[in-house]
Amino acid sequence: MATPSTDVRRHPERTGDAALVREVLDEALIVHVGTVRDGWPVVLPMAHGRDGDTLYLHGSAAAGVFRDVRGGSRVCVTATIVDALVLTRSAFNHSMNYRCAVVYGEALAATNLDAAVRAVVEHNLPGRNADVRQPTEAELRETGIWQLDLTTASAKVRTGGPIEDPADLDLPAWAGVVPVRTVLGEPVPDEGVTAAPPHLRD
Amino acid sequence: MATPSTDVRRHPERTGDAALVREVLDEALIVHVGTVRDGWPVVLPMAHGRDGDTLYLHGSAAAGVFRDVRGGSRVCVTATIVDALVLTRSAFNHSMNYRCAVVYGEALAATNLDAAVRAVVEHNLPGRNADVRQPTEAELRETGIWQLDLTTASAKVRTGGPIEDPADLDLPAWAGVVPVRTVLGEPVPDEGVTAAPPHLRD
C-alpha cells in the first residue's frame, strides 16, 4: 500500500518519532479525518482514542466520512496542538510552535467494539468508563467506530523562539513567544446531579 | 464545479450559516487543509486569514500541500473549535460541544500578496501589521499564500447539555458540561526586546 510519503520534506529537523505520534494523538482533544469523495478531499473533525498502536475514530455509522470508508476510501488522520504564537520583528518570519501527527491508512470497522468504545470514552476523561453505564448491544450496533494502525505515521514539531533576519534585530517591534494552552473550565452539572465531578485531565 | 454536498446530513438543526462560517474561521488559530495526492487524502495544519469572503492559506511555496494545489488539486479547509466536553451517564451518549466550518474550493495563488500577508499576520494578532517590518519583494516571492472563496462552505454546531436516555437519569454518574477554552499565556520576550507586548486577542 503506497501512501503519500511520510518523510517531512521541509525542516526535517522537526520530524518526530513514534513516541511523539502517540503523544500528540493522546493530547489532542479531536482529530481531523480526511477522505476522498468523488475526487474531492473531505476533512471533518472526529473524536478518537488510542490503544497501543491502534487508533480508533468515532462517528455515527451514518456520517458521510464513514460512507467513504465503507466504500474503501483511504483516510488521513491529523492531530495538531498549537503550543505558541511566535512573533518576530518582520511580518515574514512569524511562526507558530506546534506538534502535529499525521497517520495514513485504510480504516476498518473496529473488530473489538468494547475496547474501541472504552478507548474513545477514556481519551479525554481517564477513568470515565468506571463511572458510566456501558453500551448495550443495540447501542454498539449504532456506534460507528473505525480503527487504523499507527504503522504509517509521522510527526512534526516546531519549538523555540523567533528566528529573525539579523538586520531586523534592532527594529523596535516586540518579538517573542506567546504560549497557547487548551484548558478545561469549571464543570457545570446537569440537573439532578449530586455526584462529584469526574477526574479531568490537565 | 460539483463539490461534495455541504448539506449537513445528520442533525440538520446543527447547521450554521455564512456568518457562523466566518466566526469559526476567525476564532480558530489554525485550519486543517485537505488535498488529494495520488488517490490519498492529505490533511495538514496551516495558518490562515480572512478578508471578506476570501480565505487565505499560508505555507511555504515548497510545502507538499501546495504542490498539490499547483497541480490543480481541490482543497477542503476545515476549522473546528471545541467548546465543551459533554458527559452523560452512559458511555454511548457522550458528546462534545463544538463549532466547525468546512470550505470547499480550488485554491489559487493569492492575487494580492500584500493583502494576503496582512490578513494572515492580523489573524491571531489584530493590529500586528502596524508594529512589524513589512515583507520585501524577495520575501513575498518566497511566501506561499493561496486564496479560496467562501462560496461553498457550511458550518455545524453542537451546543447545550447532556442528552440522556430517560432510563439513565437515575444512574449515580456525574453528568454535565465541561467547558474547553484556548487561552494565551504570558508573553515571553525575545532577547533584547524592550517594547511592550502587542495587543493579544482574548
Side-chain angles (χ1 to χ4, degrees), chain A:
Chain A
M1 179 174 77
T3 62
S5 170
T6 52
D7 296 346
V8 175
R9 292 184 186 80
R10 290 182 49 82
H11 299 294
E13 77 283 3
R14 294 182 190 165
T15 308
D17 57 6
L20 184 58
V21 167
R22 290 180 174 211
E23 172 193 303
V24 174
L25 289 171
D26 290 354
E27 189 171 330
L29 289 173
I30 57 166
V31 290
H32 281 83
V33 180
T35 58
V36 179
R37 187 184 303 165
D38 302 331
W40 280 88
V42 176
V43 179
L44 293 174
M46 300 193 68
H48 68 294
R50 186 182 66 81
D51 184 6
D53 277 332
T54 303
L55 175 63
Y56 292 109
L57 303 173
H58 176 261
S60 157
V65 70
F66 285 134
R67 285 212 306 260
D68 298 329
V69 169
R70 268 203 301 281
S73 172
R74 297 150 164 186
V75 303
C76 175
V77 181
T78 302
T80 308
I81 296 157
V82 176
D83 289 316
L85 309 179
V86 180
L87 279 61
T88 55
R89 289 126 176 130
S90 64
F92 181 71
N93 286 314
H94 279 67
S95 186
M96 292 188 199
N97 287 340
Y98 66 92
R99 288 166 289 151
C100 177
V102 178
V103 185
Y104 292 104
E106 306 218 23
L108 301 169
T111 50
N112 182 338
L113 271 177
D114 275 324
V117 169
R118 186 164 289 273
V120 172
V121 170
E122 295 280 312
H123 176 72
N124 288 320
L125 299 159
R128 181 67 179 161
N129 276 299
D131 296 338
V132 296
R133 178 176 66 70
Q134 290 303 298
T136 62
E137 288 296 318
E139 286 176 341
L140 286 178
R141 277 193 302 273
E142 267 187 74
T143 306
I145 302 200
W146 301 76
Q147 69 182 50
L148 192 64
D149 285 337
L150 293 182
T151 42
T152 307
S154 62
K156 193 172 173 184
V157 177
R158 201 258 184 221
T159 58
I163 298 176
E164 303 269 16
D165 293 355
D168 291 335
L169 288 172
D170 291 333
L171 295 176
W174 191 89
V177 170
V178 181
V180 174
R181 278 180 314 127
T182 298
V183 296
L184 298 181
E186 194 64 35
V188 181
D190 197 18
E191 222 172 305
V193 169
T194 53
H199 173 71
L200 299 174
R201 67 181 202 171
D202 292 333

